[in-house]
């Protein structure tokens, strides 16, 4: 059997699959985010490890005697987080997360320091990435910066606790701004601009290769063999791609989790930083991918539900009852609750409801939230298409994939077939387990079949036309707010 561990922002998920790719058991453990100051977003790496230990105990009970049949473990994780360790491997400060936007000033500094950044790293300097976070620490916490021996990404901290080895993979490393993404190796020049060297970095492997084996003491405690291999693993989106079988050029999926992602596989390194499109390595050799990323997706829905004191299930039911006329008259919502990446690269972008009246009710505002997030995904598709990337259809994964209404809305807005899969909510953890299979020597064809289709949602031409009128207003609202903020 094969184990996949996915370290997300809101939870750690783990699942076990057998030789036939069937899910045997799965479980998750919640995580919380600390926001001690505006723009800050942090987590304690110790809490990730605690959650992982709890999951291993739980899954061991669920699997019973079969637990010892686990041959390899794959890892998936939230990208860009900065885990800073001293010489003894002790944590120096809480991890600064991907959705932390404190380092906007350092991004401008890095762009100036490293004119080669866009071509080498394939991306603009944005506060989400790891490199600007280290420049921030160097400026604001010099006593901590001076003690840094290693910088690890979140899932690589779990690997370090599991194996004692500091190793990363190409896909996750591509999100640091220190990787030469075309060459799939650290860039000494970009590291040096941040006061770091290769010595501070983990060694690199491909996501589907063996990185290390379990540390014997830990293996014994977990009830596993010390010969259990740990695959390179990858950043959450590239690993989710393995979970939905997105392995060939043109394969695409939308992930509606805390953040929103549109992911397309490419056969070459194709940077398009001018529109804040991300170009990263895939978890497979000689494969890359482009991504548009919005910082708040399903988290907008969670935020609104907290605000109005209802559950997502109840609100989605109410939204589904709305008439076409009610939806057409609904307010518009900008989903920029944590700033925005693609296509605006604007950490100061703000969320808003526009067009409220006495007739506005919980359901129409809830609809506006779903629609606004979907328009944000449409922004991403537009700039990917402008960069020359084509896709015929999109799979839908993440928490938002559980809503039939949202799947249909996305198909109508994007004017593309949207495919939901059976078990689509386990994307990252399933992909991680599949990477474990590949590391153990199974073939790509045997492991990465596309999961069974649950339903194909197709665009309705009339609804698409009506939604495009609202989309034009959505784009104008952001532009007006930007003009207001910058003049």
């Amino acid at each position: 059997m094969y184990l996949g561990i996915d370290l997300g922002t809101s939870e750690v998920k783990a699942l076990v699959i057998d030789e036939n790719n069937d899910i045997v058991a799965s479980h998750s453990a919640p995580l919380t985010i600390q926001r001690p100051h505006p723009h800050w977003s942090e987590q304690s790496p110790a809490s990730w490890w605690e959650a992982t230990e709890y999951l291993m105990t739980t899954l061991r009970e669920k699997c019973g005697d079969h637990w010892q049949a686990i041959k390899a473990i794959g890892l998936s994780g939230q990208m860009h987080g900065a885990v800073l360790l001293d010489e003894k491997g002790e944590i120096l400060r809480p991890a600064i997360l991907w959705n932390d936007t404190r380092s906007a000033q350092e991004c401008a500094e890095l762009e100036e320091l490293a004119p080669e950044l866009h071509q080498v790293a394939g991306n603009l300097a944005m506060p989400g990435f790891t490199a600007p976070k280290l420049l921030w620490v160097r400026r604001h916490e010099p006593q901590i910066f001076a003690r840094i021996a290693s910088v690890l990404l979140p899932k690589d901290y779990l690997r370090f606790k599991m194996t004692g080895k500091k190793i990363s993979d190409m896909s996750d490393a591509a999100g640091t701004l220190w990787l030469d993404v075309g060459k799939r190796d650290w860039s000494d020049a970009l590291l040096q601009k941040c006061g770091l060297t290769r010595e501070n970095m983990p060694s690199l492997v491909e996501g589907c290769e063996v990185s290390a084996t379990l540390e014997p003491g830990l293996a014994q405690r977990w009830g596993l063999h010390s010969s259990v291999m740990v695959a390179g693993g990858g950043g959450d989106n590239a690993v989710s791609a393995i979970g939905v079988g997105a392995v060939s050029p043109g394969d695409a999926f939308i992930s509606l989790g805390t953040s929103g992602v549109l992911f397309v596989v490419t056969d070459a390194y194709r940077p398009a930083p001018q529109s804040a499109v991300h170009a990263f390595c895939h978890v497979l050799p000689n494969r890359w991918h482009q991504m548009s990323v919005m910082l708040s997706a399903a988290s907008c829905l969670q935020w609104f539900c907290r605000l109005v004191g209802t559950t997502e299930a109840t609100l989605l039911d109410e939204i589904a009852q709305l008439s076409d006329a009610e939806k057409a008259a609904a307010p518009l919502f900008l989903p920029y609750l944590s700033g925005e990446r693609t296509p605006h690269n604007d950490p100061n972008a703000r969320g808003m409801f526009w067009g409220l009246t006495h007739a506005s009710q919980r359901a129409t505002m809830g609809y506006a939230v779903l629609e606004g997030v979907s328009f944000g995904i449409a922004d991403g598709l537009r700039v990917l298409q402008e960069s020359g990337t084509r896709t015929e259809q999109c799979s839908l994964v993440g928490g938002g994939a559980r809503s039939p209404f949202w799947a249909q809305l996305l198909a109508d807005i994007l004017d593309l077939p949207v495919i939901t899969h059976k078990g689509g909510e386990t994307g990252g953890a399933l992909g991680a387990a599949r990477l474990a299979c590949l590391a153990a020597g199974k073939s790509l064809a045997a492991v990465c079949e596309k999961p069974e289709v649950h339903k194909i949602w197709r665009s309705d031409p009339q609804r698409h036309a009506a939604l495009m009128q609202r989309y034009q207003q959505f784009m104008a609202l952001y532009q007006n707010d930007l003009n207001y903020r910058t003049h």
Side-chain angles (χ1 to χ4, degrees), residues 223-245:
L224 295 171
H225 294 288
S226 57
S227 62
V228 168
M229 298 167 268
V230 180
D236 47 7
N237 293 301
V239 180
S240 289
I242 295 293
V244 294

Side-chain angles (χ1 to χ4, degrees), residues 117-263:
L117 181 75
H118 297 175
Q119 204 42 51
V120 175
N123 294 279
L124 294 176
M126 300 184 189
F129 288 106
T130 323
K133 296 175 170 61
L134 269 287
L135 290 175
W136 185 93
V137 173
R138 182 165 73 169
R139 171 174 286 141
H140 296 277
E141 299 174 345
Q143 70 292 356
I144 286 176
F145 190 85
R147 293 175 56 203
I148 294 171
S150 310
V151 183
L152 292 182
L153 292 156
K155 68 135 181 29
D156 299 326
Y157 178 71
L158 294 186
R159 182 197 329 269
F160 174 59
K161 295 290 284 182
M162 287 159 64
T163 67
K165 301 279 194 296
K166 294 171 186 167
I167 298 169
S168 191
D169 77 289
M170 306 301 175
S171 73
D172 216 357
T176 61
L177 295 183
W178 293 315
L179 195 78
D180 184 322
V181 179
K183 291 182 181 166
R184 301 172 95 93
D185 188 19
W186 294 119
S187 162
D188 294 304
L190 292 178
L191 283 165
Q192 183 250 319
K193 303 272 164 74
C194 298
L196 299 166
T197 70
R198 232 170 237 268
E199 302 302 305
N200 303 118
M201 293 295 117
S203 55
L204 293 169
V205 297
E206 293 289 352
C208 54
E209 291 174 354
V210 178
S211 66
T213 51
L214 285 184
E215 193 271 317
L218 179 88
Q220 192 178 5
R221 189 153 54 81
W222 282 4
L224 295 171
H225 294 288
S226 57
S227 62
V228 168
M229 298 167 268
V230 180
D236 47 7
N237 293 301
V239 180
S240 289
I242 295 293
V244 294
V247 296
S248 304
D251 286 350
F253 72 87
I254 294 162
S255 170
L256 287 177
T258 305
S259 61
V261 169
L262 177 53
F263 179 111

Side-chain angles (χ1 to χ4, degrees), residues 6 49 62 116 124 168 175 207 219 270 289 365 369 414 428 452 461:
D6 177 30
W49 184 240
K62 283 189 177 186
E116 74 275 29
L124 294 176
S168 191
R270 198 182 295 155
H289 64 88
M365 291 175 75
V369 171
L414 302 178
E452 206 179 324

Side-chain angles (χ1 to χ4, degrees), residues 41-61:
S41 176
E42 299 184 339
Q43 279 178 334
S44 150
S47 69
W48 303 336
W49 184 240
E50 234 169 78
T52 305
E53 292 261 33
Y54 156 75
L55 289 176
M56 293 310 102
T57 306
T58 309
L59 286 179
R60 187 177 177 178
E61 283 169 14

Side-chain angles (χ1 to χ4, degrees), residues 153-478:
L153 292 156
K155 68 135 181 29
D156 299 326
Y157 178 71
L158 294 186
R159 182 197 329 269
F160 174 59
K161 295 290 284 182
M162 287 159 64
T163 67
K165 301 279 194 296
K166 294 171 186 167
I167 298 169
S168 191
D169 77 289
M170 306 301 175
S171 73
D172 216 357
T176 61
L177 295 183
W178 293 315
L179 195 78
D180 184 322
V181 179
K183 291 182 181 166
R184 301 172 95 93
D185 188 19
W186 294 119
S187 162
D188 294 304
L190 292 178
L191 283 165
Q192 183 250 319
K193 303 272 164 74
C194 298
L196 299 166
T197 70
R198 232 170 237 268
E199 302 302 305
N200 303 118
M201 293 295 117
S203 55
L204 293 169
V205 297
E206 293 289 352
C208 54
E209 291 174 354
V210 178
S211 66
T213 51
L214 285 184
E215 193 271 317
L218 179 88
Q220 192 178 5
R221 189 153 54 81
W222 282 4
L224 295 171
H225 294 288
S226 57
S227 62
V228 168
M229 298 167 268
V230 180
D236 47 7
N237 293 301
V239 180
S240 289
I242 295 293
V244 294
V247 296
S248 304
D251 286 350
F253 72 87
I254 294 162
S255 170
L256 287 177
T258 305
S259 61
V261 169
L262 177 53
F263 179 111
V264 186
V265 181
T266 59
D267 57 359
Y269 171 48
R270 198 182 295 155
Q274 63 286 354
S275 24
V277 167
H278 298 327
F280 294 142
C281 302
H282 203 344
V283 287
L284 304 171
N286 306 314
R287 287 274 185 279
W288 286 260
H289 64 88
Q290 285 183 319
M291 264 194 326
S292 74
V293 177
M294 56 189 302
L295 292 176
S296 301
S299 50
C300 292
L301 184 62
Q302 290 156 2
W303 163 82
F304 184 69
C305 286
R306 278 199 310 275
L307 212 60
V308 296
T310 188
T311 64
E312 287 178 40
T314 303
L315 183 66
L316 287 166
D317 272 350
E318 290 173 12
I319 292 168
Q321 311 300 320
L322 291 172
S323 68
D324 287 348
E326 285 172 316
K327 287 183 283 197
L332 285 157
F333 175 71
L334 294 191
Y336 311 132
L337 301 182
S338 331
E340 191 53 301
R341 278 208 207 162
T342 315
H344 305 305
N345 187 29
D346 182 357
N348 299 312
R350 300 172 299 185
M352 70 163 87
F353 280 106
W354 180 85
L356 294 172
T357 69
H358 282 297
S360 301
Q361 39 151 320
R362 187 165 86 176
T364 51
M365 291 175 75
Y367 168 76
V369 171
L370 297 188
E371 182 191 62
V373 172
S374 305
F375 285 154
I377 299 283
D379 272 343
L381 179 64
R382 178 171 53 79
V383 293
L384 282 173
Q385 287 172 337
E386 284 166 6
S387 82
T389 295
R390 291 280 165 270
T391 186
E392 303 298 315
Q393 58 185 40
C394 264
S395 290
L396 181 61
V397 301
R402 292 192 284 265
S403 162
F405 182 89
W406 208 346
Q408 183 61 60
L409 182 62
L410 277 163
D412 287 333
I413 287 173
L414 302 178
D415 202 20
L416 276 179
V418 168
I419 300 169
T420 50
H421 298 278
K422 293 184 178 170
E425 68 277 8
T426 51
L430 176 62
R434 287 180 165 193
L435 286 176
C437 294
L438 294 174
K442 296 182 91 174
S443 75
L444 191 63
V447 173
C448 291
E449 58 190 355
K450 290 182 169 47
E452 206 179 324
V453 170
H454 171 246
K455 189 165 178 186
I456 300 177
W457 309 84
R458 299 189 188 278
S459 175
D460 174 280
Q462 278 179 299
R463 285 198 301 260
H464 174 68
L467 285 160
M468 283 304 96
Q469 290 181 316
R470 286 177 62 84
Y471 178 51
Q472 294 303 320
Q473 289 177 285
F474 169 88
M475 289 196 288
L477 276 178
Y478 170 75

